[in-house]
């Protein structure tokens, strides 16, 4: 048990003053002493100590204590003071009628004081009843004539402040002293810890205790007592437990003080302050509490005297969160919700900030006013801007409790689900499934709900949206049945069959076949003039149909059906569920549709099949056109359209569209859309040789959507991007760590698994493990073919598997794979895909390798694939070093610039004359055998390796910077690292290592 004098820590000054007053009282000198301070600072303990000191010195002591329960009891404190002198005085005071100006027992007390010095001790004078207050004031006026001292305590502001406490002339020659008690300092708290716990406390423990208790001795005492009962030592590791105990003690004190507060008006104002004291000033809080006759000053004094409120730098009173919670816990739930609703209305009338009103509405009953939903939605946006997603979702969830129209409710549900996809994905899916099943959802909202589900990895939602009956999503030919019949007399000359084929997204689909089907993937544009005719006819028919359709609702229904078909095709790509029993196959895309979503998905399917390059490019661009019916754009089809664009070598255009998507997602505060856009842009950066930019985008994506929240369907794709970015940025240890991480079982059922298999193959290739690399590339190919992807522009697994087979001595397989990739890349027709295929063929073929490398360099020089172009240049330089007339990459790099200036089509640029041989190499001299790599060569990062090879081939720093798309300073830093790791002194020694002794 702690010693009883714990609350008297750091009270030496006050004890000295009281000892002096008691000494002077024995000499006949009267005094008035008032001890003030917040509740719990030890005022009453100090008075009891003074009373004990006075008795020890032979001073007569009379003591009393005022309470809130006896505030209306006449002469309640006087009866306590005089009872030791007269046992019957209580009866006379309480029962006898009050006489005007009567002061019962005062003269008898003053007469008795002449015979012996007397000390009157009155605790908590803030609760004095009016009669006792008048009696003590009269006593104070008579103090100079008697050897008597009055010692009182108060909690700062009394309800009716006694006049003696301000040193007025009423006290005459008596000493008037006011002692204001401060909280304990850190040293005092440290001494309390040592006293109660028996051992000194850690510095962190002591500081945490002082901060949590604010240095109030009573709270410090009780917290330490409870802490020692747990058997814990006062160490830093127990700080959280200490804070929990402090909150419990503070709450208990608040509950006790609230139970002692008897004034119902004060209780109402206290509750109103607990609700909105931080938002409204004190007069408005009193208005919220209701009409009452009590003056504002008296209410303020009563609440301050209760100890439940403390002043804040002259501002209206406030109280901490623990006290506020205890005050509101005492209210019935219905009354509390009603008080919050009334507070929100008042705050809205006086134009309080939106988040303040939103906080009130969170705990209020539905107010049924339009401003409530608008305020909660503005609070939602503000909370998202500050990064408080949990608070933002709470605001929108509360908005759903208000009466809303069906379409507005659906929009709020969709907005809420977009945030919950990151914070609570399961709840978001349930909410979105409800929107998808609802028949009263507004225009475009069902499609948006399915789109959001796909971003979250939920592929089931696309099938939930499938209507039943005629014209379902499973209908393989929804064209004529879905488009409304034209009105008679429309004035159009187009045949009905043509008018029924409204096209905005698929203006180039070949007639007589659906290229979105993987079975059609080996076909090609055999009749371009027929395709062009279909293009023109479909475009005209679209304008005709849009001009003749009168029923907008029916048109919206058709548009929604087409959007849902497109989203179902995306779901099919993400997860092949058609092999499961009872799951019908995904319907084909409408052959003719005016939906941008259909255009985006069809562009991707063309790209996957590796056919119709121009159609895929045109469809991808059409995916970003406004919807003719004004429907809101969807995110997922546009993301796939962007991916189709950078497969068509239109990376700059794709990057611009991705920037638009990113700005749109930021405006809508859709974190999951932001994350997916950043991931796709990182993929684009990697394909264009910008691994540092890819790493930045991936880090930003993970900040929006933490990996722990990422759906298993997307885990392989994100892991592959991180793995390749780390590998290209010279962090192989991190790449190996990513490759070794296990993936969820569901990840093995999705198309994105191919990306992770490919990335693991790239890692094995960088580690010079062709056996493992070939196994990964083969597995990647099997998975891509399973999902209908034959285009080598997606992932060039064939050429890399061929290189691994070539390293293992299987030249037949290597040639078969590379020639197949060349054929498929030529059918697709982009420079990047064809150049990569030609480079793979040049690596594994034995005849005319140099010419194949030259062809690959020439092709890749006109593509955005910077990394592949650099590799081709390096391979060509290596191959040329074995020829009698060596050709260097320097001339090819200069020819790249001349190509942009206009080289005749079909002619390989820059081969009209042989480029000069490297310095120091006589023309026509045979190549020397390659020496073993120097000891430090494996320590070079991929970026340093590329830079070193280009420098050894004779390129200047500026030419290397142009080739690698980096700054000259970056080249200098990379070469400095190369020299340091290889322990050489400059470029000449680097060339000697590259070409061998005969070449240098």
């Amino acid at each position: 048990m702690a010693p009883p004098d714990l609350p008297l820590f750091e009270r030496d000054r006050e004890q000295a003053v009281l000892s002096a007053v008691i000494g002077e009282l024995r000499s006949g000198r009267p005094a008035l002493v008032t001890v003030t301070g917040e509740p719990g600072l030890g005022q009453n303990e100090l008075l009891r100590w003074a009373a004990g000191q006075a008795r020890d010195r032979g001073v007569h002591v009379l003591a009393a204590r005022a309470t809130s329960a006896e505030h209306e009891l006449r002469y309640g404190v006087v009866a306590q003071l005089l009872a030791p002198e007269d046992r019957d005085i209580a009866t006379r005071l309480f029962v006898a009628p009050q006489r005007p100006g009567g002061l019962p027992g005062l003269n008898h007390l003053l007469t008795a004081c002449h015979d012996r010095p007397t000390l009157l001790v009155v605790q908590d004078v803030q609760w004095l009843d009016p009669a006792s207050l008048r009696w003590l004031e009269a006593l104070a006026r008579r103090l100079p004539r008697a050897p008597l001292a009055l010692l009182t305590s108060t909690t700062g502001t009394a309800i009716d402040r006694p006049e003696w406490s301000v040193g007025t002339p009423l006290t005459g020659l008596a000493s008037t002293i006011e002692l204001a008690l401060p909280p304990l300092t850190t040293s005092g708290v440290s001494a309390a810890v040592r006293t109660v716990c028996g051992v000194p406390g850690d510095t962190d423990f002591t500081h945490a205790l002082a901060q949590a208790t604010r240095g109030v001795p009573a709270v410090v005492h009780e917290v330490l007592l409870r802490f020692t009962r747990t058997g814990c030592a006062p160490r830093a590791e127990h700080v959280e437990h200490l804070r929990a105990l402090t909150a419990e003690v503070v709450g208990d004190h608040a509950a006790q003080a609230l139970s002692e507060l008897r004034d119902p008006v004060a209780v109402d104002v206290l509750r109103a302050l607990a609700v909105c004291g931080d938002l409204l000033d004190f007069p408005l809080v009193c208005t919220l509490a209701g009409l009452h006759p009590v003056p504002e000053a008296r209410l303020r004094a009563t609440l301050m005297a209760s100890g439940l409120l403390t002043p804040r730098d002259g501002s209206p009173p406030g109280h901490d969160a623990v006290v506020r919670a205890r005050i509101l816990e005492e209210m019935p739930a219905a009354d509390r919700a009603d008080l919050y609703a009334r507070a929100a209305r008042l705050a809205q009338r006086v134009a309080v900030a939106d988040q303040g009103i939103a906080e009130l509405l969170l705990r209020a009953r539905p107010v049924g006013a339009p401003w409530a939903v608008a305020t909660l939605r503005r609070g939602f946006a503000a909370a998202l801007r500050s990064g408080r997603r949990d608070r933002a979702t709470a605001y929108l969830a509360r908005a759903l409790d208000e009466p809303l129209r069906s379409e507005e409710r659906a929009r709020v549900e969709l907005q809420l689900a977009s945030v919950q996809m990151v914070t609570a994905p399961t709840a978001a899916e349930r909410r979105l499934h409800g929107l998808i099943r609802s028949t009263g959802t507004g225009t475009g909202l069902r499609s948006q709900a399915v789109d959001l589900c796909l971003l979250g990895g939920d592929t089931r939602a696309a099938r939930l949206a499938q209507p039943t009956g005629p014209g379902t999503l499973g209908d393989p030919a929804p064209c004529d049945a879905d488009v409304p019949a034209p009105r008679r007399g429309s004035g159009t000359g187009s045949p009905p069959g043509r008018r029924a084929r409204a096209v905005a997204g698929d203006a180039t689909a070949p007639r007589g076949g659906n290229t979105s089907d993987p079975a059609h993937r080996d076909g090609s544009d055999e009749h371009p003039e027929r395709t062009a005719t279909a293009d023109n006819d479909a475009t005209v028919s679209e304008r005709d149909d849009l001009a003749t359709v009168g029923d907008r609702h029916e048109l919206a229904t058709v548009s929604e059906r087409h959007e849902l078909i497109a989203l179902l095709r995306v779901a099919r790509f993400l997860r092949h569920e058609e092999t499961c029993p009872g799951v019908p196959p995904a319907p084909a895309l409408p052959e003719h549709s005016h939906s941008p979503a259909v255009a985006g998905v069809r562009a991707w399917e063309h790209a996957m099949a590796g056919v119709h390059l121009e159609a895929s490019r045109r469809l991808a661009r059409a995916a970003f056109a406004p919807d003719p019916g004004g429907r809101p754009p969807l995110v997922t089809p546009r993301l796939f359209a962007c991916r189709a664009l950078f497969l068509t070598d239109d990376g700059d255009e794709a990057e611009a569209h991705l920037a638009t998507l990113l700005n749109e997602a930021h405006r809508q505060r859709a974190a999951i859309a932001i994350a997916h856009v950043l991931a796709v842009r990182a993929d684009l950066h990697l394909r264009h040789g910008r691994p540092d930019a890819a790493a930045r985008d991936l880090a930003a994506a993970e900040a929006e959507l933490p990996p722990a929240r990422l759906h298993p369907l997307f885990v392989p794709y994100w892991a592959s991007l991180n793995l390749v970015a780390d590998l290209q940025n010279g962090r192989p240890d991190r790449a190996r760590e990513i490759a070794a991480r296990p993936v969820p079982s569901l990840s093995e059922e999705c198309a994105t698994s191919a990306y992770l298999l490919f990335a693991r193959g790239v890692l094995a290739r960088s580690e010079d493990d062709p056996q493992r690399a070939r196994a990964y590339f083969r597995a990647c190919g099997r998975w891509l073919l399973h999902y209908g992807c034959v285009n080598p522009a997606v992932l060039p697994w064939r050429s890399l598997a061929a290189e691994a087979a070539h390293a293992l001595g299987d030249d037949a397989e290597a040639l078969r794979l590379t020639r197949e990739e060349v054929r498929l890349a030529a059918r697709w027709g982009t420079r990047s895909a064809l150049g990569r295929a030609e480079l793979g063929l040049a690596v594994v073929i034995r005849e005319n390798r140099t010419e194949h490398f030259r062809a690959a360099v020439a092709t890749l020089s006109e593509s955005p694939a910077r990394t592949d172009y650099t590799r081709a240049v390096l391979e060509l330089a290596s191959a040329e070093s074995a020829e009698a007339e060596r050709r260097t990459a320097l001339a090819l790099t200069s020819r790249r610039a001349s190509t942009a200036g206009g080289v005749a089509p079909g002619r390989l640029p820059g081969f009209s004359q042989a480029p000069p041989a490297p310095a120091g190499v006589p023309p026509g001299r045979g190549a020397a055998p390659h020496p073993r790599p120097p000891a430090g060569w494996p320590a070079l990062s991929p970026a340093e390796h590329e830079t070193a090879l280009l420098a050894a081939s004779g390129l200047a720093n500026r030419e290397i910077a142009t080739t690698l798309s980096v700054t000259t300073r970056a080249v200098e830093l990379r070469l400095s690292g190369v020299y340091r790791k290889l322990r050489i002194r400059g470029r000449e020694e680097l060339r000697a290592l590259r070409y061998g002794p005969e070449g240098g």
Side-chain angles (χ1 to χ4, degrees):
M1 188 71 179
D5 59 347
L6 177 62
L8 298 181
F9 276 129
E10 297 185 327
R11 299 293 182 253
D12 297 338
R13 182 183 67 88
E14 291 80 4
Q15 289 174 322
V17 170
L18 293 177
S19 295
V21 167
I22 293 170
E24 293 180 356
L25 179 60
R26 295 184 62 193
S27 302
R29 296 191 59 181
L32 277 168
V33 181
T34 304
V35 182
T36 65
E38 295 182 22
L41 291 180
Q43 300 94 314
N44 294 339
E45 288 78 4
L46 194 59
L47 263 61
R48 287 193 288 269
W49 176 87
Q53 292 291 316
R55 292 189 186 95
D56 293 343
R57 298 187 186 186
V59 176
H60 184 54
V61 178
L62 298 176
R65 181 180 181 183
T67 63
S68 60
E70 297 180 354
H71 177 63
E72 302 299 332
L73 179 63
R74 189 179 61 172
Y75 291 119
V77 170
V78 174
Q80 294 181 54
L81 286 173
L82 300 182
E85 304 293 326
D86 185 355
R87 294 182 178 180
D88 298 330
I89 191 169
T91 304
R92 297 196 302 273
L93 289 175
F94 300 154
V95 177
Q98 183 177 4
R99 292 177 299 171
L103 299 170
L106 180 58
N107 291 331
H108 180 270
L109 175 64
L110 292 173
T111 301
C113 287
H114 286 286
D115 297 333
R116 53 181 179 177
T118 303
L119 176 66
L120 270 65
V121 179
V122 182
Q123 301 177 21
D124 298 330
V125 294
Q126 71 271 12
W127 299 118
L128 280 173
D129 61 274
S132 296
L133 178 61
R134 290 194 303 271
W135 192 92
L136 289 174
E137 288 177 346
L139 173 66
R141 287 194 293 268
R142 292 166 173 78
L143 279 183
R145 301 194 298 269
L148 189 145
L150 178 59
L151 177 59
T152 62
S153 68
T154 179
T155 57
T157 304
I159 297 174
D160 293 312
R161 187 170 175 85
E163 294 185 8
W164 70 76
S165 62
V166 293
T168 63
L170 291 176
T171 60
L173 299 177
S175 299
T176 303
I177 302 171
E178 182 170 354
L179 298 175
L181 300 183
L184 294 179
T185 64
T186 305
S187 299
V189 174
S190 179
V193 173
R194 186 166 48 252
T195 301
V196 177
C197 298
V199 293
D202 284 352
T203 303
D204 293 341
F205 183 90
T206 303
H207 281 297
L209 179 61
Q211 183 180 14
T213 61
R214 296 186 300 170
V216 177
V219 180
V220 172
H221 187 201
E222 189 167 350
V223 168
L224 288 176
L225 285 177
R226 296 189 186 186
F227 182 80
T228 54
R229 293 192 192 107
T230 63
C232 298
R235 298 288 181 263
E237 57 265 24
H238 301 303
V239 165
E240 292 302 323
H241 178 52
L242 175 74
R243 287 180 179 146
L245 285 177
T246 304
E248 183 180 323
V249 170
V250 171
D252 292 344
H253 285 195
Q256 181 179 357
L258 185 63
S259 65
E260 294 174 355
L261 191 61
R262 305 295 180 178
D263 188 352
V265 176
V267 171
D268 291 341
V269 174
L270 183 65
R271 290 171 173 172
L273 277 170
V275 168
C276 58
D278 296 335
L279 299 175
L280 306 177
D281 55 17
F282 193 74
L284 286 175
V285 171
C286 295
T287 302
L288 178 63
L291 299 176
H292 50 77
V294 183
E296 178 185 321
R298 184 177 178 85
L299 276 175
R300 188 189 297 268
T302 301
L303 297 176
M304 298 291 289
S306 68
L308 293 169
L309 302 180
T310 55
R312 292 183 179 178
D313 301 327
S315 61
H319 43 274
D320 57 29
V322 176
V323 177
R324 183 196 306 253
R326 282 302 180 97
I327 291 171
L328 295 177
E329 283 175 3
E330 302 294 327
M331 295 182 66
D335 294 346
R336 184 168 59 245
D338 181 72
L339 179 59
Y340 271 107
R342 291 189 287 112
R345 288 195 187 95
L346 181 58
Q348 195 268 341
R349 286 201 297 271
V350 298
V352 172
D354 287 333
Q355 279 195 281
I357 304 175
E359 284 294 320
L360 296 175
L361 289 171
L362 278 182
R363 300 167 180 84
R365 58 169 174 77
V367 297
W371 60 263
V373 177
T375 302
L376 286 166
R377 297 184 76 172
R378 290 194 297 269
F380 160 81
L384 280 186
R385 283 195 298 270
S386 60
R388 303 167 60 206
R389 287 177 179 162
D390 292 341
R391 213 60 179 168
T393 56
Y395 290 151
L396 280 191
R398 171 61 183 82
L400 294 173
D401 294 336
E402 296 290 333
L404 296 169
R405 291 178 287 108
S406 60
E407 185 171 348
E408 186 179 9
R409 179 175 295 278
R411 293 188 183 279
V412 174
E413 292 260 15
L414 185 68
Q415 196 174 20
L416 175 57
S418 69
V419 181
Q420 286 183 328
M421 272 295 180
V422 177
T423 60
T426 304
E429 287 181 8
R430 287 198 300 266
R431 197 177 299 279
L432 291 173
H433 287 183
L435 283 177
I436 293 168
R437 292 189 180 99
S438 175
T439 57
T441 306
T443 303
L445 291 183
R446 292 183 73 219
S447 300
Q448 287 181 289
V450 177
D451 183 37
L452 191 54
C453 283
L454 289 178
L455 290 176
D458 177 17
T459 57
R460 297 171 301 166
R463 297 203 177 272
L464 287 178
Q466 182 174 357
T468 57
T472 64
L473 291 183
D475 188 356
C479 306
D480 295 341
D482 289 344
V483 179
R487 293 176 297 177
R488 293 184 179 179
S490 60
T492 60
S494 301
R498 177 184 297 177
R499 192 178 304 122
R501 292 192 294 269
V503 178
D506 186 11
T508 59
R511 302 170 75 178
N514 184 2
T515 58
S516 64
D517 192 344
H520 188 72
R521 59 178 178 261
D522 290 329
S524 59
D525 287 326
E526 299 178 357
H527 302 284
E529 68 283 355
R530 183 182 302 175
T531 302
T533 304
D535 185 0
N536 297 333
D537 290 349
T539 305
V540 172
S541 67
E542 176 196 5
R543 288 196 296 265
D544 292 344
D545 282 338
L546 291 178
T548 56
V549 172
D551 190 348
R552 291 184 176 272
H553 176 72
E554 190 172 357
L555 179 61
T557 302
V558 173
S559 300
E560 182 180 80
R561 182 177 294 118
H562 288 184
E563 285 179 346
L564 294 177
I565 291 174
L567 293 173
L568 186 56
R569 297 291 296 183
V570 173
R572 175 189 178 276
F573 169 74
L574 291 177
R575 187 180 181 191
H576 226 329
E577 295 179 321
E578 295 175 0
T579 57
C580 301
V583 178
L589 286 170
E591 186 176 350
H592 305 293
S593 173
H594 55 78
S595 170
V598 172
V601 177
R602 186 182 289 280
W604 173 249
E605 291 192 348
H606 282 338
M608 288 274 290
V611 294
H612 310 309
L613 173 65
E614 290 302 324
S616 180
R617 180 179 287 123
R618 189 177 299 111
L619 287 166
R621 291 167 179 167
F624 294 92
D627 186 89
R631 297 173 65 80
L634 304 179
V635 176
T636 306
R638 287 184 292 168
L639 279 180
F640 277 89
C642 287
R643 295 174 70 178
L645 279 175
F646 60 72
L647 292 181
T648 61
D649 279 359
D650 298 296
D652 293 339
E653 187 176 350
E655 192 167 3
H657 287 310
L658 287 171
T660 302
L661 279 172
L662 192 60
N663 291 334
E664 177 185 304
H666 276 296
R667 284 196 305 270
Q668 296 174 355
R669 309 292 174 186
I672 194 165
I674 294 172
H676 280 285
V677 173
L678 288 171
V680 173
R681 193 168 71 175
D683 192 351
L684 175 61
H685 288 320
L686 290 175
R687 290 173 181 268
H688 287 190
R690 300 189 293 265
D692 50 347
R696 287 193 297 270
D697 275 349
L698 289 172
E702 291 182 0
E704 294 289 341
L705 181 61
R709 297 287 189 183
L710 187 63
H711 194 276
L713 290 183
F714 300 116
V715 168
Y717 182 59
W718 285 42
S720 68
L721 296 177
N722 279 285
L723 192 157
V724 175
D726 285 336
L727 199 59
Q728 293 186 8
N729 283 316
R731 294 190 288 264
D733 293 339
R734 289 182 54 178
R736 281 190 288 270
E737 179 186 348
I738 294 172
R741 290 176 189 165
V743 295
S745 58
L746 184 59
S747 301
E748 300 175 355
E749 303 177 12
C750 61
T752 58
S753 296
Y755 288 85
L756 184 55
L757 292 170
F758 183 84
R760 286 172 173 169
V762 172
L763 177 62
R765 181 170 175 266
S766 70
E767 294 175 341
D768 197 18
D769 188 350
Q771 187 74 35
R772 190 159 53 95
R774 181 170 68 168
Y776 278 128
F777 290 134
R778 282 175 167 178
C780 168
R782 285 193 297 270
W783 207 245
L784 287 176
L785 293 176
H786 174 69
Y787 277 87
C789 177
V790 297
N791 191 349
V794 178
L795 290 174
W797 62 271
R798 295 177 181 85
S799 58
L800 295 183
E803 292 183 23
H806 177 67
L808 294 171
D810 192 351
D811 291 341
E813 181 186 1
L815 287 173
R816 179 182 61 81
L817 288 172
T818 52
R819 284 169 176 163
E820 182 182 0
E821 181 161 328
V822 168
R823 179 181 64 83
L824 293 173
R827 188 182 73 174
W828 177 236
T830 61
R831 287 288 183 173
S832 296
L834 184 57
R836 279 193 296 264
E838 291 173 343
L839 177 59
L841 178 62
V843 170
V844 302
I845 201 168
R846 294 183 181 275
E847 299 81 11
N848 300 324
R849 294 187 66 203
T850 303
E851 296 302 324
H852 285 290
F853 278 128
R854 288 170 183 166
V857 170
T859 305
L860 288 171
S861 66
E862 301 176 7
S863 78
R866 304 295 304 174
T867 303
D868 295 308
Y869 171 72
T870 302
R871 183 191 171 210
V873 170
L874 296 175
E875 294 285 358
L876 176 57
S878 178
E880 286 180 337
S881 67
E883 290 185 349
E885 295 184 10
R886 301 190 179 188
R887 301 178 182 270
T888 65
L890 176 60
L892 292 176
T893 303
S894 62
R895 284 196 298 273
R896 177 173 184 152
S898 67
T899 301
V903 177
R907 179 181 176 187
L908 293 179
F911 282 93
S912 58
Q913 58 183 5
V921 181
R925 187 168 183 177
H930 292 287
R932 288 187 178 182
W937 196 262
L940 299 183
S941 69
E944 291 173 339
H945 183 268
E946 291 177 348
T947 307
L949 289 177
L950 288 174
S953 299
L955 273 69
N957 287 358
R958 181 170 297 178
E959 293 165 337
I960 297 174
T962 303
T963 302
L964 299 180
S965 298
V966 296
T967 63
T968 306
R969 178 58 177 164
V971 173
E972 294 172 355
L973 292 175
R974 290 180 184 180
L975 287 177
S976 297
V978 170
Y979 300 154
R980 185 180 65 257
K981 293 178 181 179
L982 298 183
R983 298 183 180 180
I984 59 177
R985 289 174 292 181
R987 190 181 292 256
E988 290 301 322
E989 295 187 27
L990 181 62
R991 291 184 63 254
L993 292 174
R994 172 68 180 84
Y995 289 103
E998 296 185 14

